[in-house]
Amino acid sequence: MATASGETISEEEAQKAIQQEVDDEFEDAVEEENEDGVEGQFSVSKEELAIIRAELACEFPEDYAYLSDAYVLSVASKPYSKDPTVRRPLEYSMEKLTHVMEWRVEASAPDMEDLVGLANGPETAPEAVENPEALTKAKALVTALNSGSLYWHGFTKDGRPVLWVRTNRKPWYPDVDAEVDALILLADAGIRCMPSTVTDFVCVSDSSYPPPPNPTFMIKMLKALVRGYPDRLNLLMSAPVSSIVQFVMNLLLPLMPGRLASKVCLMDVEQMKAKLAGLLLNGEEDVPTFFGGPCNHDKFFPEESKCPNRGQGTLKFDYFGMLDRLNKQKEDFEKNLAAAENGEGVEVGP
């Protein structure tokens, strides 16, 4: 297998490189495998929820609202890994949620959207002149966005937003930190656009022509997902299955918590088309052209060479347009859900 530097790397060599990057950080993850595969949820009282929210507000006053009540309840209601016949102790759930919030501070997650605004403005703006390091980081972040390799578009029938990956747009020589920052920015944006009762999302990857694997990039992306967004991924589907995709998954799957690894599904294009037709909100109408459907994603997310600058800076990716469309789709979904619960007619639209 050739790496991005043009060298040949075996699976054993890649695994060794990855293991050198791995530490005990994964042990802090909320997403963990229960003994004997026991699943289920236990009740959490309003008082217990209030206690958790109050502690989070005290420790993380500027970011505590990031965690919705639905997500806090989903974490606190799970079986205890050491005794799956009982619920997680409240202190244990609080510890897990605190790890997530501490990771967000370490990764500067709450500041990512500010960087988009900085990169979209003129370099002569006071905030750009006074903080050149932030401007450099901002420009690297939007450069990663500009490839259009990662974006939110649409929902599933049960209200989960869909994160699309276009591997053929990924760089062969990635700026690893910038790519991870872009993932953090987009993950947070998608979570903010979730319906109030939804806590996770679906990821769909068009894995045609992926770049050669980069061990440092792979492990940093996995760390971000496991530590920063535990229990957020409902399903990851990838098609077609190439030798590079198999190579990467053989490396990463052994490192994933069991619950996360079980959510990864590799398939061919025809299987993907059928799966998406049953999964996406508007059925076959929402299947993208790159999987044989009628929905042209390039209308909203064209290749970088076809995108104009969005402001006075370097942003070309339609980040704010993406959010507007996703929020509108969320409002439509919640409106239709309420109508269905009231026995009224339901409108289905793009």
Side-chain angles (χ1 to χ4, degrees):
M1 181 67 62
T3 66
S5 62
E7 300 175 352
T8 300
I9 183 170
S10 68
E11 187 168 324
E12 291 75 20
E13 291 171 326
Q15 189 69 63
K16 182 178 179 180
I18 284 179
Q19 288 293 348
Q20 290 175 345
E21 293 277 354
V22 175
D23 50 31
D24 61 357
E25 287 184 275
F26 286 1
E27 296 179 3
D28 295 339
V30 173
E31 189 154 18
E32 57 191 26
E33 187 170 20
N34 293 321
E35 294 182 8
D36 302 321
V38 176
E39 293 290 343
Q41 289 189 328
F42 295 82
S43 62
V44 179
S45 70
K46 292 181 179 179
E47 291 76 16
E48 288 173 319
L49 174 61
I51 289 171
I52 294 175
R53 295 227 65 104
E55 291 194 28
L56 289 172
C58 182
E59 293 190 44
F60 307 96
E62 296 181 358
D63 196 33
Y64 77 96
Y66 162 78
L67 299 178
S68 68
D69 285 354
Y71 181 71
V72 172
L73 288 172
S74 75
V75 171
S77 63
K78 282 186 170 54
Y80 191 27
S81 59
K82 297 179 181 179
D83 181 4
T85 64
V86 300
R87 197 194 72 188
R88 289 172 167 175
L90 202 63
E91 296 78 11
Y92 184 83
S93 294
M94 187 66 220
E95 180 183 1
K96 292 292 186 180
L97 291 168
T98 298
H99 285 314
V100 172
M101 299 303 288
E102 289 174 343
W103 176 89
R104 289 180 59 75
V105 173
E106 295 167 7
S108 300
D111 303 326
M112 292 300 171
E113 194 160 80
D114 291 338
L115 293 179
V116 176
L118 182 62
N120 201 31
E123 294 189 17
T124 55
E127 58 270 23
V129 173
E130 294 168 6
N131 197 341
E133 290 184 3
L135 178 61
T136 299
K137 182 176 181 178
K139 291 170 70 174
L141 168 61
V142 301
T143 296
L145 288 178
N146 287 345
S147 69
S149 63
L150 200 65
Y151 55 82
W152 295 100
H153 188 72
F155 285 83
T156 64
K157 295 184 188 299
D158 49 9
R160 293 183 172 95
V162 183
L163 182 66
W164 300 87
V165 182
R166 310 279 292 274
T167 62
N168 62 319
R169 297 180 176 184
K170 285 287 184 186
W172 276 46
Y173 304 95
D175 181 334
V176 173
D177 290 338
E179 291 286 334
V180 173
D181 285 348
L183 173 65
I184 293 170
L185 169 77
L186 289 170
D188 280 8
I191 288 169
R192 289 196 304 270
C193 292
M194 287 178 179
S196 59
T197 58
V198 174
T199 62
D200 52 11
F201 61 86
V202 168
C203 181
V204 182
S205 176
D206 171 14
S207 300
S208 305
Y209 311 109
N214 180 302
T216 300
F217 172 68
M218 289 190 294
I219 196 60
K220 285 194 174 185
M221 294 287 275
L222 180 58
K223 278 185 179 182
L225 182 62
V226 173
R227 287 206 62 205
Y229 302 96
D231 283 330
R232 291 295 194 181
L233 180 65
N234 176 268
L235 177 66
L236 187 155
M237 301 187 297
S238 174
V241 183
S242 65
S243 59
I244 291 179
V245 170
Q246 291 176 321
F247 182 88
V248 169
M249 297 314 300
N250 287 341
L251 295 176
L252 294 184
L253 283 173
L255 301 176
M256 295 181 183
R259 284 169 51 83
L260 179 59
S262 67
K263 298 173 182 179
V264 177
C265 184
L266 307 181
M267 58 188 76
D268 62 35
V269 172
E270 285 302 313
Q271 290 173 321
M272 175 68 84
K273 181 180 179 181
K275 180 71 173 179
L276 291 176
L279 182 73
L280 298 177
L281 183 60
N282 299 302
E284 192 171 345
E285 291 181 20
D286 282 349
V287 177
T289 52
F290 48 82
F291 285 133
C295 185
N296 183 14
H297 284 200
D298 292 354
K299 173 183 176 181
F300 303 106
F301 303 102
E303 295 179 2
E304 181 178 356
S305 61
K306 300 178 181 178
C307 294
N309 276 39
R310 301 294 169 177
Q312 300 180 60
T314 54
L315 179 66
K316 295 183 178 180
F317 178 77
D318 190 16
Y319 176 75
F320 299 105
M322 177 192 72
L323 294 186
D324 288 343
R325 290 187 294 272
L326 203 62
N327 273 313
K328 178 62 167 58
Q329 291 168 329
K330 168 192 170 183
E331 292 171 2
D332 290 344
F333 176 84
E334 292 183 323
K335 177 183 176 181
N336 288 340
L337 183 62
E341 291 175 348
N342 293 329
E344 302 172 9
V346 177
E347 299 178 4
V348 177

